[in-house]
Amino acid sequence: MPYSALPPQAFWKPCRAAGDFHLDALYTPKVALRPGMRIATAGSCFAQNIATYVRASALELVEAEPAPALMPPEVARRYGYGLFSARYGNIYTARQLRQLLEDAEDAQLHEEALWRRGDVWVDGLRPNVEPDGFTSEEELCAFRRDHLRRVRAMFDTTDVFVFTLGLTECWADRDSGLVYPSVPGVLGGRFDPERHVFVNQGFAEVHEDLTEAIARLRRWNPRIKVLLTVSPVPLTATASGAHVLAATTYSKSVLRAVAGDLAALDAGIDYVPSYEIITGTPFGARFYNDNLRTVTSEGVATVMSVFFGAHPELGGVPRPDLALPSATSRQDRQDDICEEALLEAFAAPEARA
């Protein structure tokens, strides 16, 4: 019989009977990691945790934009240093990643992403990395060019790129197709309903964007490997018209299907099941904080124990310095601020009164 020789992890009942649901058998790496390999990270907020653990491991975290000397760590993080391998802020969608790589190759700036917020200028493609804004358009453009140069250069020496898919929803410029990490009018700029359109990508669109992004990376660096994960963090809000729970289920299902398909078809692409560990039925809401959005430190540690445990040559699970607020706790605060700003910016006049 075809099932008779299968291991316990192939069956629900033995997994349920096991104390840890046989998590150690959940991830079998296709891409082998060895000490000293250079790892670059990007993606949604959950990817920040990956950078924290890689930095403390036998791997080498690529840091293309290190913080200025003597800048206190918490200030550096507030300005987007050290969260990922470069100072791009959260990259929520595959379209956003593809766009960043295209811009990095061509050193391209976008006039529609040069936002104003009062007396300061904001980079609409990474609006959180300079919380106080830039003093002039010239300063913004200079920082943007330097950022793109560093992003392009870092992939020449990267062995493995870890990318966390976060969303299918985004806002785009109707004329140019440029996508933003946040809706214009919240962190800067001005929302124009005639110009700014809501986009909710399907499987084919996400698949195409991620495939093209990886193909570009391989043109730069043919030996680069890719690890894909899906963020377990639900949507803060949805503009799809659906209930936020249904919108979250749709978004994560599409991203998980794309990641699985690409990993199944390509020996140089692997999928790491962090999403399953955090959201899986056997664990209920155990790995979420009280807001049922951000992931607890226990949840992050469980994901990392599965990941590093599958690579014994790395010497075990690293123990990072967690004295600073975790990526998820910082994101919790940022999401609360963002949600309040969304309600304020887009509430009907009578609702604001």
Side-chain angles (χ1 to χ4, degrees):
M1 296 294 290
Y3 291 93
S4 59
L6 295 179
Q9 64 266 24
F11 299 89
W12 189 268
K13 187 175 180 179
C15 285
R16 184 171 178 266
D20 63 351
F21 214 79
H22 286 302
L23 279 182
D24 59 341
L26 184 60
Y27 172 49
T28 303
K30 288 175 18 181
V31 175
L33 300 183
R34 300 180 302 277
M37 292 183 76
R38 290 174 56 80
I39 311 296
T41 64
S44 69
C45 56
F46 191 77
Q48 297 177 25
N49 298 297
I50 298 173
T52 299
Y53 274 77
V54 168
R55 187 180 285 111
S57 74
L59 301 167
E60 181 180 349
L61 180 68
V62 177
E63 300 200 61
E65 292 181 274
L70 304 182
M71 178 178 280
E74 187 55 31
V75 175
R77 288 174 176 268
R78 180 170 173 258
Y79 280 80
Y81 293 104
L83 304 181
F84 306 101
S85 287
R87 201 165 161 239
Y88 20 63
N90 290 340
I91 300 177
Y92 294 107
T93 64
R95 177 68 53 83
Q96 198 182 340
L97 174 65
R98 177 180 179 178
Q99 179 178 278
L100 172 65
L101 299 181
E102 291 171 350
D103 290 348
E105 183 166 77
D106 301 330
Q108 182 175 0
L109 302 183
H110 302 275
E111 183 178 356
E112 57 270 40
L114 306 179
W115 290 354
R116 294 299 302 270
R117 187 179 68 220
D119 295 330
V120 300
W121 291 81
V122 175
D123 184 346
L125 299 180
R126 47 177 194 156
N128 280 320
V129 301
E130 285 287 335
D132 299 323
F134 295 96
T135 58
S136 67
E137 180 179 350
E138 292 75 18
E139 183 185 39
L140 189 165
C141 291
F143 270 74
R144 181 73 187 170
R145 291 190 186 96
D146 180 67
H147 168 66
L148 293 176
R149 177 182 62 81
R150 291 170 183 264
V151 169
R152 171 61 189 88
M154 81 177 194
F155 285 108
D156 290 337
T157 59
T158 293
D159 296 310
V160 179
F161 177 50
V162 183
F163 181 64
T164 300
L165 293 149
L167 300 173
T168 57
E169 295 189 11
C170 60
W171 288 85
D173 183 271
R174 185 188 302 273
D175 296 331
S176 66
L178 188 76
V179 299
Y180 304 102
S182 66
V183 56
V186 174
L187 300 175
R190 182 177 65 86
F191 181 75
D192 182 351
E194 298 299 320
R195 181 170 188 175
H196 300 128
V197 295
F198 173 72
V199 176
N200 196 9
Q201 292 188 300
F203 176 90
E205 295 168 296
V206 176
H207 198 287
E208 179 183 356
D209 284 336
L210 193 51
T211 298
E212 287 299 317
I214 294 172
R216 188 174 299 271
L217 289 179
R218 285 172 166 170
R219 289 197 293 273
W220 297 346
N221 180 353
R223 61 183 177 77
I224 197 169
K225 306 296 183 183
V226 177
L227 301 185
L228 298 175
T229 68
V230 173
S231 170
V233 179
L235 278 65
T236 302
T238 178
S240 65
H243 189 290
V244 69
L245 179 58
T248 295
T249 302
Y250 169 82
S251 184
K252 304 301 181 179
S253 298
V254 168
L255 300 177
R256 175 62 182 88
V258 169
D261 191 62
L262 289 178
L265 296 173
D266 193 316
I269 301 175
D270 205 356
Y271 173 74
V272 181
S274 56
Y275 178 76
E276 287 80 352
I277 295 170
I278 301 300
T279 67
T281 302
F283 308 106
R286 168 183 163 186
F287 293 138
Y288 284 104
N289 288 305
D290 290 343
N291 62 3
L292 297 181
R293 288 198 70 255
T294 52
V295 179
T296 64
S297 57
E298 179 194 4
V300 173
T302 301
V303 170
M304 296 304 164
S305 68
V306 171
F307 176 71
F308 283 96
H311 296 280
E313 55 276 13
L314 296 180
V317 183
R319 303 296 179 193
D321 180 6
L322 300 178
L324 292 172
S326 69
T328 49
S329 65
R330 288 192 304 273
Q331 188 63 33
D332 188 11
R333 294 196 300 271
Q334 292 173 4
D335 285 344
D336 286 343
I337 294 170
C338 185
E339 190 167 9
E340 291 170 3
L342 278 169
L343 293 172
E344 175 65 24
F346 297 105
E350 59 271 18
R352 293 197 300 265

